Amino acid sequence: MSNATPIERSNGAAAISAKAMALAAALEVELVECVWDIGADLTHEHAHRLDLITAAKSVRVYFPDLELTTSGNASRTKRTEERLQRAIVQLQQRTPAPTYGYR
């Protein structure tokens, strides 16, 4: 492992956080915070964890090490964006549908 790897990982995490903020804004979700837990077991599929937090809810998203340490790979970028979008949709505030109606 090179000395640059933690910096690359931090840069990748920052880029993913920025993308999450942009996707959230597009979906009218106000993220309060993006919190990373950069894992130590880099071979694990869920090596790194990102918590996306709004005022009312939070959702956890997992990323393998390759998604944090590489950029410019179109398929990896697409997978990351799709994963973020699915997570952010879970954070959208929905008005509950009425369980009954008046006639």
Side-chain angles (χ1 to χ4, degrees):
M1 184 184 293
S2 74
N3 290 340
T5 302
I7 294 169
E8 290 171 9
R9 211 168 275 120
S10 295
N11 290 343
I16 291 171
S17 293
K19 188 61 170 175
M21 293 295 239
L23 288 170
L27 293 170
E28 298 180 356
V29 172
E30 187 177 337
L31 287 180
V32 175
E33 197 171 12
C34 294
V35 179
W36 279 97
D37 178 10
I38 305 296
D41 181 6
L42 305 181
T43 61
H44 195 270
E45 178 185 354
H46 300 157
H48 311 297
R49 182 181 76 217
L50 171 62
D51 292 323
L52 301 173
I53 303 166
T54 67
K57 295 182 183 180
S58 69
V59 68
R60 186 167 283 171
V61 189
Y62 293 94
F63 294 91
D65 194 54
L66 271 177
E67 289 187 34
L68 266 68
T69 57
T70 59
S71 62
N73 181 301
S75 66
R76 223 174 270 129
T77 299
K78 184 175 193 265
R79 263 195 315 268
T80 299
E81 288 181 14
E82 288 171 349
R83 188 177 300 127
L84 288 172
Q85 195 155 15
R86 283 192 306 269
I88 291 165
V89 165
Q90 294 178 44
L91 295 171
Q92 287 180 313
Q93 293 293 331
R94 292 183 181 87
T95 305
T99 54
Y100 58 89
Y102 294 103
R103 290 188 176 205

